[in-house]
């Protein structure tokens, strides 16, 4: 039987997910389709009813519904209950089960490069929804410790409490304080939206040590100022599109119960730039 999928959110017209998943269907000759479906804030419940009526097989959830969607799930995978947000849903005859593939999406590019998180000292900039999935990934892979830097310090403190609860040592600082001891990190991650509108890097690079890995989760533009400055310093960089691809691959595997065609999906994603 033909399967249908969607990504729900608002705005949705710039989402790259329909392209990525459609490329996978073509590559594997699957009788499936995937569309972007705009559901404005406040209309999630009726939007989901609509998706159930058309017997959607599964859907991705993006801004602004990742947390509110939790209310409408009948079942939750551990990935979703730990992180407290959902980005992938399976519809089994009206029973909705939620997953969060952002954590695996974050870890995937590191695994691909054989980079161990274990024992690493990490600076995480940002304390929003994506940061929470990243913290869960760091805890799972046993990072040594994380410093969380955020514009709003209260949110950094809340996230550090979450980190501690799941067994990861965490401290907090303001973004403007990141220059102190910045040479001590093995990895620095930007999980804020800084860069999306071509803003300059949230940190300065003068004192960063050679060997530090720079990971941006902003994927458009591909070369943010943060990434460019890291490349100027000849540091190893991980691009935002890699995490986006990682979460899509994991979602594909949950829905189709088969290995995702990585290269076809990557090509479709990069074609979107
Ligand atoms: P997401 O789910 O994508 O992580 P979010 O939960 O809205 O989105 O989180 C956005 C993150 O980007 C937050 O850490 C936010 O900082 P605040 O907690 O202080 O709001 C950060 N952010 C966004 N724009 C920023 C800016 N111009 N300067 C500094 N931080 C910014």
């Amino acid at each position: 039987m033909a399967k249908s999928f969607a990504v729900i959110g608002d705005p949705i017209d710039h989402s790259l997910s329909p392209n990525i998943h459609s490329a996978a269907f073509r590559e594997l000759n699957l009788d499936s389709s995937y569309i972007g479906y705009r559901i404005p804030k406040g209309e999630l419940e009726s939007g989901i009813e609509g998706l159930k009526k058309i017997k959607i097989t599964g859907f991705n959830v993006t801004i602004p519904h990742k947390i509110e969607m939790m209310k409408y799930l009948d079942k939750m995978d551990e990935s979703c209950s730990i992180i407290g947000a959902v980005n992938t849903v399976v519809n089994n005859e009206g029973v909705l089960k939620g997953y969060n593939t952002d954590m695996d999406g974050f870890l995937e590019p590191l695994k691909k490069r054989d980079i161990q998180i274990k024992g690493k000292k990490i600076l995480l900039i940002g304390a929003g929804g994506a940061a929470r999935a990243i913290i869960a990934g760091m805890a799972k892979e046993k990072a040594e410790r994380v410093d969380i830097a955020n514009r709003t310090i209260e949110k950094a403190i809340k996230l550090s409490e979450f980190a501690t609860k799941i067994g990861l040592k965490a401290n907090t600082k303001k973004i403007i304080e990141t220059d102190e001891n910045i040479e001590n990190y093995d990895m620095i991650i930007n999980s804020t939206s800084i860069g999306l509108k071509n803003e300059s890097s949230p940190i300065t690079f003068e004192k960063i040590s050679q060997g530090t890995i720079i990971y941006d989760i902003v994927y458009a533009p591909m070369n943010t100022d943060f990434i460019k400055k890291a490349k100027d310093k000849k540091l190893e960089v991980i691009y935002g599109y890699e995490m986006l691809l990682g979460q899509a691959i994991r979602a594909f595997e949950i829905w189709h119960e088969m290995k995702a065609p990585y290269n076809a999906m990557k090509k479709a994603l990069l074609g979107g730039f």
Side-chain angles (χ1 to χ4, degrees), residues 63 66-67 102 125-132 149-156 159 175 190-195 197 199 202 217:
I63 291 169
K66 281 189 179 184
I67 293 169
D102 285 336
I125 307 158
R132 226 175 132 86
N150 199 46
R151 177 177 59 183
T152 314
I153 195 73
E154 293 76 17
K155 279 172 75 181
L159 188 62
I175 294 186
N190 173 43
S191 77
T192 72
S193 49
I194 298 172
K197 294 179 189 144
E199 300 95 324
I217 74 155

Side-chain angles (χ1 to χ4, degrees), residues 216 222-231 237-239:
D216 202 349
M222 190 155 99
N223 284 291
T224 56
D225 185 55
F226 180 68
I227 288 281
K228 278 190 214 155
K229 291 217 164 93
K231 282 186 177 170
V237 300
I238 302 177
Y239 294 95

Side-chain angles (χ1 to χ4, degrees), residues 119 189 225 247:
I189 304 163
D225 185 55
Q247 65 76 30

